[in-house]
Amino acid sequence: MIPRYDVEPIVEIDIQQLKVPDAEDVADGFVYVHEYEPLVPVGWAEVLECLEFEDHWLTTADAEADSPAEFDKIMDQAESGDEDDIPDGPLQLLDLGVAGLSLALCAAGCVTFCSCRAHNDHRINTWTHPQVGFAADADRALIVARLAREIGCGLGNAVDRRYLVAYASSLSETTALAKAIYDSRADFDALPPPGWFAGLERIRRERDWY
C-alpha cells in the first residue's frame, strides 16, 4: 500500500506575486531551510534515472507494505542502502516519492527549496502530506499548474506568496506529476533560460562545485 493523507489538492496560484531568486540566492538559499543544498543544474537524463529508481521502490513498497509504518520502513531502507545502489547526484539527498518531482522541477528551470514525502512514524522533521516547495517564473508556473490539474496534485503560493508548493494526498500523484513534467520537457526547454542560470554557472565555476 501507498499511504494516503488527509489533504484536498487544489490548484490556485497568484502569478503576479511570484518572485524568481537571483543566482546568489539560488546558490546560498532564498528561503531559510536547514542544510539547504541547491539541486540545479539538473538534466533530463538525471530525472529519468531518478524516476525509474523511484518507480521501482514505490512499486515494491506498494506490493509488500500492509501499513503506513511498513511502507516507511521499506522506503527508509531504500534511501539508506548502499550508495552504489542509488544513482549518483542529488537523489541521494532527497526523499523517495518526491525526489523525482524535485529533480523534474529543477530540470524544467525551477528551483526547489524543500521537499518531504511525509512520514508515518512521528519523526520531528516531517510534513503532514507529500510536497515540494519551489520558485518559478510565470511561464513555467503555468505549465506546472496545467499538469497538476490533469494529475490531481495541488499547487499554491507559499512563503509570503513569492514561491510555490506542489503537494498531493499520496506519492502516486507526486510521481505522476514528475513524469508529466518529464514528458512535457520540450515545452519547458522552449522557454528562455531562467534569469539566475548564467550567474549560477559562474558561481559553480568559482566555487568548484560538482
Side-chain angles (χ1 to χ4, degrees), residues 33-52:
V33 176
H34 182 58
E35 296 182 347
Y36 168 85
E37 290 280 352
L39 299 183
V40 289
V42 171
W44 292 115
E46 290 177 272
V47 175
L48 180 59
E49 185 177 32
C50 175
L51 291 176
E52 291 173 344

Side-chain angles (χ1 to χ4, degrees), residues 1-5 54 57-79 96-97 117-121 123 130 170-172 175:
M1 64 163 293
I2 296 177
R4 300 200 72 86
Y5 301 88
E54 196 169 57
W57 281 106
L58 282 173
T59 300
T60 299
D62 189 25
E64 297 181 2
D66 57 9
S67 69
E70 185 65 23
F71 177 87
D72 272 350
K73 182 178 179 181
I74 293 170
M75 298 298 276
D76 287 345
Q77 288 173 343
E79 292 166 356
L96 288 176
R117 64 175 165 84
H119 304 274
N120 304 283
D121 55 3
R123 67 189 71 185
S170 88
L171 298 178
S172 297
T175 53

